[in-house]
Amino acid sequence: MSSVNSASKFRVAIIGGGMGGLVLGLCLKKYALDVQFDIYESAAKLTEVGAGVLMSPRIWTIMQELELEEELVKVTGAVDRAGSDILFRKGDEAKVVDIVKLHQLHTFQRSVLQQILSEKLDAKDRIHFSKRLTSYSEPTSPTEPIILHFKDGTTATCDIVIGSDGIRSSVRRTMFAKLSDESERHGHIEDASRTRVMVEPIWSGHVTYRGLILASELSEDLRRFASTPQILCGKDRHVVLYPVSGGELVNIVSSVYTPGSGTVYDGPWVETTTSDKVAKLFEGFNPNAVALIKSLREPLGWALHTVPKLTTYIKGRSALIGDAAHAMVPYQGAGLGQAIEDGFVLAKILAHSSVTLTNVSEALRIYDDVRRPFSQNVQQGSEWNGMLYQLRRAGWEDISVEDSAAGRYPPELLSAFEKDVKAQMEWQYDPGASIKGDIAKVSGMLETLSAQ
Ligand SMILES: Cc1cc2nc3c(=O)[nH]c(=O)nc-3n(C[C@H](O)[C@H](O)[C@H](O)COP(=O)(O)OP(=O)(O)OC[C@H]3O[C@@H](n4cnc5c(N)ncnc54)[C@H](O)[C@@H]3O)c2cc1C
């Protein structure tokens, strides 16, 4: 594993073969021909749990850069290659109230998207399965290899380690334990304990129930209703639904908020449940949404956890990407998109001709400078959106489930909702906030690095 190739400038170990890790591999393969990489995945094969996934225009630009657009358009079955609009509605009243439409999202079945990414990566010999990282060493010299330790007792070496190992990341655990030890050694005891707790995910207060339904099993009316991508908002509950795979399937994500965020979740994080149990939580909600929930077979309940706002994504020659760095609630459909942005930006940095084994830890600082503030803003915005969709924004606390269902709320709530959601989601659509701008910024910063 990881034998040194004389043509490569350094060897990267990607820990975790989720979609974030696969995209990083894909970007390295495309942009960094002189960088060798291996992916270490704890599972025995690539699997994708879950149902559908949304992709915003900002992420679509990366798919175009990676020359994946044609293939992806085929599997979405999108009539318009720019994607579909998404409609925000108030959905906890007997009759839905339309609020605002935002534009152009692409929707996928997760397993299909993953298959396309792994086929495009086409690097079976570089993916090592059943390799669960437990920890890694941090060399003192800038060129000494890092030693990776796996649960099966084996080891491997690399020059750079990237944690794309999800919300319970072992790379984050190792990195923050080392940071904490360092603070302790310098006598910064409070910093040390603050740093140590950053390892633990936080319970968000949201439980979401998700699954796919075969459109052909639905009545004509329900099929028509479900053909519009939409977010049905309501007090303490909301439902996201959209068609995937050319309308063959409908993805349903229904979420319930229970006060208690920040505490420890008492129960399994992911659990199969029944559609009747979920439908009961949505009693009185829009009848079409409830009928769709009832059509789910074995929905999966997810107690949503997030990663605390980390003080860094890097240490020495290690870095975090995706959920390992910034797992967020899914209320902008942005977690995977942020993992893709991380992988794209990081690969562009590692590929740059000025980046070598001796200065790579400085180059990783640029990754941290550019990606951490952006992705943490998205993380924060996703939390705000969750509160918005559940009508829990400041000033709306006293509206009860019954009031909301009976239409007893200030009429300006709907216009405030429209204004807030547009402002919050703007970064995904605004051409001025394109990922290309970030790449230009990174290139400028790398020029400074070359001059050092
Ligand atoms: C209900 C819901 C809906 C969502 N909808 C959207 C959406 O519409 N759009 C969007 O952009 N995002 C969405 N997300 C978020 C998205 O799913 C995640 O942000 C994304 O999958 C993170 O990818 P990742 O590769 O960073 O992590 P993961 O997908 O968690 O992959 C981590 C990989 O690492 C492996 N691994 C773990 N530990 C180790 C170890 N120690 N050693 C080796 N391998 C290891 C795991 O087996 C796994 O393969 C949603 C999330 C949820 C819960």
Side-chain angles (χ1 to χ4, degrees):
M1 254 178 253
S2 269
S3 62
V4 185
N5 171 349
S6 57
S8 62
K9 60 177 180 178
F10 43 63
R11 299 167 302 149
V12 176
I14 302 173
I15 309 300
M19 283 199 266
L22 291 180
V23 168
L24 173 60
L26 205 54
C27 294
L28 286 175
K29 190 177 165 195
K30 185 171 171 65
Y31 301 116
L33 294 177
D34 56 353
V35 171
Q36 195 181 328
F37 69 89
D38 289 275
I39 301 178
Y40 297 95
E41 165 56 46
S42 58
K45 59 180 177 114
L46 292 183
T47 45
E48 243 322 307
V49 186
V53 71
L54 295 167
M55 219 182 256
S56 71
R58 194 173 143 102
I59 311 307
W60 194 248
T61 311
I62 300 178
M63 297 297 111
Q64 288 168 328
E65 291 282 310
L66 293 176
E67 297 169 81
L68 284 168
E69 184 177 30
E70 289 309 318
E71 250 163 298
L72 293 180
V73 164
K74 263 188 238 151
V75 297
T76 59
V79 183
D80 181 348
R81 67 169 41 234
S84 326
D85 291 345
I86 188 152
L87 183 58
F88 291 80
R89 308 173 123 172
K90 188 161 182 300
D92 60 348
E93 299 175 51
K95 199 168 176 315
V96 290
V97 183
D98 289 353
I99 305 176
V100 63
K101 199 184 259 186
L102 295 179
H103 22 257
Q104 290 157 2
L105 292 159
H106 289 86
T107 63
F108 299 94
Q109 192 180 343
R110 294 181 73 102
S111 54
V112 172
L113 178 61
Q114 186 203 46
Q115 195 184 338
I116 290 179
L117 294 175
S118 61
E119 275 173 15
K120 185 83 178 175
L121 178 60
D122 187 25
K124 287 193 188 67
D125 53 329
R126 299 204 218 185
I127 306 186
H128 312 284
F129 290 107
S130 303
K131 288 288 166 197
R132 177 174 289 280
L133 184 96
T134 48
S135 65
Y136 61 91
S137 71
E138 191 178 54
T140 40
S141 114
T143 51
E144 191 185 327
I146 294 170
I147 303 171
L148 306 169
H149 296 271
F150 298 102
K151 196 170 174 211
D152 62 4
T154 59
T155 57
T157 60
C158 64
D159 299 313
I160 296 149
V161 58
I162 308 298
S164 61
D165 49 347
I167 187 164
R168 288 165 144 149
S169 168
S170 292
V171 177
R172 185 175 78 247
R173 187 167 292 281
T174 308
M175 183 188 285
F176 276 76
K178 289 179 197 298
L179 285 165
S180 180
D181 289 349
E182 273 177 16
S183 292
E184 219 164 77
R185 270 201 305 279
H186 291 108
H188 305 308
I189 305 303
E190 270 185 29
D191 278 357
S193 47
R194 241 196 321 270
T195 305
R196 208 170 287 278
V197 296
M198 290 196 174
V199 164
E200 299 305 332
I202 307 170
W203 154 232
S204 71
H206 299 270
V207 179
T208 194
Y209 303 89
R210 60 204 293 218
L212 292 169
I213 305 169
L214 265 176
S216 57
E217 290 181 355
L218 298 173
S219 69
E220 181 63 37
D221 280 354
L222 272 185
R223 214 168 31 239
R224 196 170 325 108
F225 179 79
S227 66
T228 301
Q230 54 192 290
I231 301 185
L232 292 151
C233 302
K235 187 70 183 188
D236 291 352
R237 306 169 292 176
H238 79 267
V239 178
V240 179
L241 62 99
Y242 51 84
V244 293
S245 300
E248 239 173 75
L249 297 162
V250 180
N251 179 57
I252 309 279
V253 184
S254 43
S255 299
V256 176
Y257 182 76
T258 318
S261 59
T263 57
V264 175
Y265 184 73
D266 184 19
W269 288 14
V270 183
E271 192 174 28
T272 307
T273 180
T274 66
S275 52
D276 282 346
K277 279 190 191 159
V278 184
K280 200 150 178 48
L281 300 171
F282 282 80
E283 258 172 17
F285 212 77
N286 172 262
N288 282 333
V290 176
L292 287 167
I293 289 172
K294 283 189 176 159
S295 310
L296 285 167
R297 287 194 196 136
E298 299 195 332
L300 268 186
W302 294 64
L304 297 178
H305 286 71
T306 61
V307 165
K309 191 173 178 187
L310 300 182
T311 44
T312 184
Y313 288 176
I314 56 153
K315 181 170 191 327
R317 283 184 270 132
S318 58
L320 301 170
I321 68 167
D323 274 14
H326 45 62
M328 57 188 77
V329 287
Y331 302 130
Q332 294 189 97
L336 174 61
Q338 286 309 289
I340 292 174
E341 290 192 25
D342 292 342
F344 184 64
V345 172
L346 183 56
K348 291 273 188 178
I349 291 174
L350 297 179
H352 200 271
S353 56
S354 66
V355 178
T356 62
L357 179 56
T358 40
N359 68 9
V360 72
S361 53
E362 284 309 304
L364 289 181
R365 210 167 285 289
I366 295 177
Y367 164 75
D368 188 53
D369 284 348
V370 173
R371 287 301 305 152
R372 189 160 49 86
F374 193 93
S375 53
Q376 289 182 338
N377 259 339
V378 176
Q379 190 185 29
Q380 172 81 70
S382 299
E383 206 173 309
W384 283 340
N385 261 16
M387 290 295 115
L388 181 67
Y389 298 171
Q390 312 262 2
L391 309 183
R392 294 186 69 86
R393 276 283 172 90
W396 301 347
E397 302 91 339
D398 294 339
I399 302 169
S400 66
V401 172
E402 294 73 25
D403 285 341
S404 183
R408 289 191 298 267
Y409 51 85
E412 56 276 13
L413 179 141
L414 298 177
S415 51
F417 186 109
E418 175 177 354
K419 191 167 141 272
D420 283 2
V421 79
K422 272 184 175 160
Q424 184 49 54
M425 303 289 261
E426 174 124 44
W427 66 273
Q428 303 204 7
Y429 308 100
D430 177 11
S434 157
I435 186 77
K436 288 184 179 169
D438 291 0
I439 294 297
K441 187 167 154 195
V442 162
S443 300
M445 291 163 93
L446 284 165
E447 293 311 321
T448 336
L449 183 76
S450 337
Q452 279 174 358

